[in-house]
Amino acid sequence: GSLSSTRAVLLAAPWSTVEQRRSGTWATVRYARQAGVPVLLVEPSGRLQAYALPERLPPWLKEFTQNLQSLVT
C-alpha cells in the first residue's frame, strides 16, 4: 500500500526526539510530512506528538490515538 493513501497514518517511535539526518525512521517521518500524511510520533519519554492530523478525526483514528495515548501515559 501507499503511504499517501487516504487512511494512512504513520506511527513512528524514534530513539531520539532530535531529528536525525541519517536515520531511516526520521527519513520516513520527513517523507510522510512532505506527502501530507498524518504522523503520530512516540518520543522516548512516551510523550505523543501529532503532526498534520485532520481537525475532525475519523472515528477509527480518534479511537486509535486515544488507545495509544493510554498506553504511553
Side-chain angles (χ1 to χ4, degrees):
S2 171
L3 185 60
S4 62
S5 85
T6 58
R7 292 181 59 113
V9 175
L10 176 65
L11 175 61
W15 66 271
S16 172
T17 57
V18 178
E19 189 170 328
Q20 304 293 312
R21 180 141 174 87
R22 300 188 67 129
S23 162
T25 302
W26 280 110
T28 305
V29 169
R30 285 190 296 274
Y31 176 81
R33 286 179 179 166
Q34 291 172 354
V37 173
V39 176
L40 295 172
L41 190 76
V42 182
E43 296 180 349
S45 66
R47 182 173 177 218
L48 184 64
Q49 295 287 334
Y51 301 95
L53 289 181
E55 191 171 308
R56 281 191 54 145
L57 296 179
W60 68 270
L61 184 53
K62 185 175 184 177
E63 181 180 352
F64 178 81
T65 56
Q66 289 170 343
N67 289 340
L68 183 61
Q69 187 64 47
S70 71
L71 288 174
V72 297
T73 56

